[in-house]
Amino acid sequence: SRAFDLLQALIKHRDRLVTKDELMDMVWPGMVVEENNLQAQVSSLRKLLGPKAITTIQGRGYQFSLAETAAHKNGGHTASATVPVTMPVTVTVGVGNTRGTPSIAVLAFANHSASADDEYFSDGLADELLNVLTRIKGLHVAARTSSFSFKGKDSDIATIGQKLNVATVLEGSVRKSGNRARISVQLVNVEDGFHLWSESYDRMLDDIFAVQDDIAQSVVSELRVKLMQRTLSESETIQAAADVAAAAQGRSQNGEAHRLYLQARFFLNRHAGADIVKSIDYVRQALAIDPGSAILWATLSDALTDAVDFALVNVEDGSREALSAAQRAVTLEPALAAGHVAMCNYQTMLAYDWKGALASVQRALAISPDDAEALKKAGRLYYVLGRLPESLEHAERSVAQDPLNSACYQTLGLSLSGLDRLAEAEHALRHALDLSPDIPAARASLALNLLRQGKDADALAEANNERTDWARLRTMAVLHAHLGNPVKSDLATQELADRFGAGAGCSIASAYASNGKIDRAFEWLERAYEVRDSGLAYIKMNWMVRSLHTDPRWPVFLQKMGLDD
């Protein structure tokens, strides 16, 4: 059959991506067929072997990703599905398990309100449902960044399900008018497009928590019915309600505070300077109403850490308040993963407290092992510490959980670069840019990667296209130094120092180190340390300052940073 021919072709070339054109020639030699024939055969193989047996490399082709193991249990075969070099992500699935783990993606809800300003509410409601469902044991939930990436796009359910590797999709709409809202939701089966369940709610906004919990409980129940292929017992229905109640811990129970929180998250998720300031303002207003909400304090800590990193607030004041907020979150709700993630973020970027950061992120992952944000933070932290195999493991897992999140691919690129797997790192960075072309500093990272591979012209082109000024200037200074243009390197370094000062001290030190100006490099490292430049978190693994490693001042500086072991 064509499916068997396709399987043979993919297995034969399992060590690489096989383009669509190649597969068409192999499976239908000498024939002119439409591409949807290929997609149909891939779909058939996935039904037989499991959804992760064949990896789609978007817009390019496919790769066989099922590796047989020697493990046999109870007479059955198990297999480990590994996405190889072109998409270095490792996940595990059971072959022949027709039921599998129930899985869902929660899409951004459509805003049908009269005002576009109410978009925060529709986004926030879907986001809250996603967070509740994420904490239900035995349910795989696509991460927010990936599921929300389809917002405003005309993608069909089958495509969404394939890209996010889920069996069901929850979609909905919100029509808000004054203090009332109509919320319509439907749970759709990816395989056949049929609605498993749908409902509409007309409620007052102060009743929004009951609506969220009602929707979440219905979704959990319907998924269990589909998985077990029978009606739930009374005890199972009660358990579904208990799971939802447990998952909702830590959130504000005040309607107005919750509305303000949704606005705060809406702006913080944009990852832009002015929006971070707005986020801080909204979450402060929410805390004034409900100071007992752990998730509000965790959100404030994250926003303040970002604000310090973006030089939007005073370093000393912002750092102190970020720590205090994270401490409040953890104290109020020790079992809330978000509080420990916020603490790890602060400890890594602002406190250089590596042991504390490790304890925080490990606690977050103990609470929520598949939390993409915690996995990404862990990948970054292990990279900072030079523990590269662990960094790669967590970065790969974050990509598996959140496959359309550009920041996860950036972290993956870091890990691979640290291991000198430069071609794979380049692929990860390019994938990050495909997902988010304007992601800050990603083109600069790609340029430096290309420089290390000897692709000088391509490196210069990418550096020139970097839109984040400090990253562009730092990268141009380093490139010109390595390409034998010391004058151009000095000019870029001086502009970087004039415009950004000690807040970019680590970048300035990197430029001077690349140009052989060792004393100036150490001078700027010390200035960066004085202002707690977040760039110093990466100093141990920063290949641009390798010229400093033989200087007696280097181990002293690493010891001061706590990175000497």
Side-chain angles (χ1 to χ4, degrees):
S1 69
R2 299 296 181 187
F4 181 73
D5 293 340
L6 174 61
L7 180 59
Q8 281 191 313
L10 287 168
I11 292 175
K12 181 179 180 181
H13 303 284
R14 66 183 308 151
D15 60 333
R16 66 176 178 87
L17 174 149
V18 189
T19 67
K20 294 177 182 179
D21 288 342
E22 285 180 296
L23 288 171
M24 302 276 274
D25 288 341
M26 293 175 190
V27 180
W28 293 274
M31 299 174 63
V32 178
V33 296
E34 294 183 356
E35 186 178 307
N36 59 7
N37 288 300
L38 175 60
Q39 294 169 346
Q41 299 304 326
V42 169
S43 179
S44 296
L45 288 174
R46 283 180 173 140
K47 290 177 183 178
L48 178 66
L49 301 174
K52 297 175 184 175
I54 299 171
T55 300
T56 300
I57 312 300
Q58 191 61 32
R60 298 176 62 194
Y62 300 92
Q63 186 160 12
F64 190 73
S65 50
L66 208 59
E68 288 189 2
T69 70
H72 297 273
K73 188 176 182 180
N74 299 326
H77 297 281
T78 63
S80 172
T82 303
V83 182
V85 172
T86 55
M87 188 70 70
V89 180
T90 304
V91 291
T92 303
V93 298
V95 177
N97 181 357
T98 57
R99 291 184 177 182
T101 301
S103 55
I104 188 171
V106 181
L107 304 185
F109 284 8
N111 175 31
H112 289 171
S113 306
S115 173
D117 292 339
D118 285 328
E119 182 182 5
Y120 81 89
F121 185 79
S122 56
D123 272 10
L125 179 58
D127 201 5
E128 282 292 282
L129 283 166
L130 187 152
N131 289 335
V132 170
L133 292 171
T134 297
R135 303 181 71 186
I136 304 298
K137 292 181 179 179
L139 177 62
H140 170 74
V141 184
R144 180 195 189 278
T145 307
S146 291
S147 58
F148 273 45
S149 69
F150 295 96
K151 181 178 176 179
K153 298 177 181 177
D154 188 21
S155 300
D156 58 52
I157 293 297
T159 299
I160 293 171
Q162 178 185 341
K163 288 185 177 181
L164 299 181
N165 193 28
V166 294
T168 56
V169 168
L170 184 72
E171 56 182 359
S173 63
V174 179
R175 188 180 301 278
K176 183 171 169 283
S177 178
N179 198 41
R180 296 192 66 86
R182 162 165 278 201
I183 301 158
S184 299
V185 288
Q186 45 274 335
L187 181 65
V188 185
N189 186 35
V190 168
E191 186 174 5
D192 53 24
F194 289 165
H195 284 201
L196 301 174
W197 164 82
S198 63
E199 189 62 81
S200 292
Y201 303 83
D202 288 295
R203 299 289 178 87
M204 302 295 288
L205 293 185
D206 55 8
D207 195 26
I208 197 64
F209 306 113
V211 175
Q212 289 178 188
D213 292 350
D214 197 351
I215 296 171
Q217 185 175 334
S218 295
V219 167
V220 171
S221 296
E222 288 299 322
L223 288 173
R224 285 182 175 172
V225 168
K226 182 175 184 294
L227 182 66
M228 300 174 183
Q229 297 181 346
R230 61 172 173 78
T231 304
L232 294 184
S233 67
E234 182 180 355
S235 63
E236 288 168 334
T237 302
I238 293 172
Q239 184 60 49
D243 286 344
V244 170
Q249 64 186 348
R251 74 182 181 194
S252 173
Q253 295 302 310
N254 179 282
E256 178 61 12
H258 187 68
R259 184 187 68 80
L260 291 164
Y261 162 71
L262 295 182
Q263 288 183 297
R265 290 302 318 180
F266 178 77
F267 285 110
L268 186 59
N269 287 331
R270 290 183 172 184
H271 302 294
D275 289 328
I276 292 172
V277 174
K278 290 180 182 178
S279 175
I280 292 171
D281 181 56
Y282 278 118
V283 78
R284 287 193 198 283
Q285 292 180 52
L287 282 165
I289 298 170
D290 184 8
S293 168
I295 194 64
L296 289 177
W297 287 110
T299 303
L300 178 61
S301 180
D302 272 334
L304 285 166
T305 298
D306 285 354
V308 172
D309 195 22
F310 278 63
L312 301 171
V313 298
N314 174 273
V315 173
E316 185 176 346
D317 293 340
S319 298
R320 182 172 56 249
E321 191 176 1
L323 170 60
S324 176
Q327 288 173 331
R328 289 288 294 274
V330 171
T331 300
L332 285 166
E333 194 57 69
L336 182 70
H340 298 283
V341 173
M343 180 65 81
C344 172
N345 197 28
Y346 161 79
Q347 290 165 322
T348 301
M349 302 309 295
L350 303 182
Y352 311 149
D353 177 7
W354 317 117
K355 290 182 180 179
L358 275 173
S360 293
V361 80
Q362 288 169 355
R363 177 58 181 151
L365 288 170
I367 295 168
S368 185
D370 295 328
D371 187 309
E373 190 64 26
L375 288 167
K376 183 180 69 177
K377 293 290 194 296
R380 180 184 66 181
L381 176 59
Y382 284 120
Y383 171 81
V384 161
L385 297 175
R387 294 167 59 171
L388 297 176
E390 291 162 290
S391 174
L392 181 60
E393 175 197 349
H394 287 83
E396 287 180 333
R397 287 174 59 196
S398 76
V399 169
Q401 289 297 320
D402 205 353
L404 301 181
N405 186 335
S406 58
C408 290
Y409 282 96
Q410 271 193 305
T411 303
L412 181 59
L414 270 182
S415 302
L416 291 165
S417 294
L419 291 163
D420 291 329
R421 291 164 60 174
L422 299 179
E424 294 169 80
E426 178 189 348
H427 184 275
L429 291 169
R430 290 193 183 279
H431 199 70
L433 286 164
D434 286 342
L435 292 167
S436 299
D438 296 328
I439 187 170
R443 291 194 184 279
S445 296
L446 177 58
L448 294 170
N449 171 283
L450 293 169
L451 175 68
R452 292 177 68 187
Q453 294 188 69
K455 302 175 182 180
D456 300 345
D458 291 341
L460 281 170
E462 291 294 347
N464 275 315
N465 288 328
E466 173 61 59
R467 297 182 183 180
T468 304
D469 285 350
W470 68 263
R472 177 179 53 80
L473 289 168
R474 183 277 317 273
T475 305
M476 293 302 292
V478 171
L479 288 177
H480 284 306
H482 282 270
L483 296 175
N485 302 315
V487 175
K488 289 183 177 181
S489 177
D490 281 342
L491 287 172
T493 305
Q494 190 59 52
E495 184 179 352
L496 179 63
D498 291 343
R499 291 180 59 183
F500 297 96
C506 187
S507 292
I508 297 166
S510 298
Y512 277 127
S514 297
N515 215 359
K517 298 185 176 181
I518 307 303
D519 290 340
R520 297 300 305 276
F522 276 108
E523 174 190 335
W524 279 96
L525 284 180
E526 294 296 340
R527 293 177 66 176
Y529 185 83
E530 289 175 9
V531 301
R532 314 299 281 186
D533 176 9
S534 58
L536 283 180
Y538 302 94
I539 193 64
K540 182 176 183 177
M541 297 303 299
N542 183 350
W543 67 271
M544 294 175 283
V545 298
R546 285 178 181 171
S547 62
L548 308 184
H549 290 189
T550 56
D551 191 285
R553 288 169 288 186
W554 178 251
V556 175
F557 189 78
L558 280 189
Q559 184 177 35
K560 179 161 43 174
M561 287 290 301
L563 291 168
D564 53 326
D565 54 16

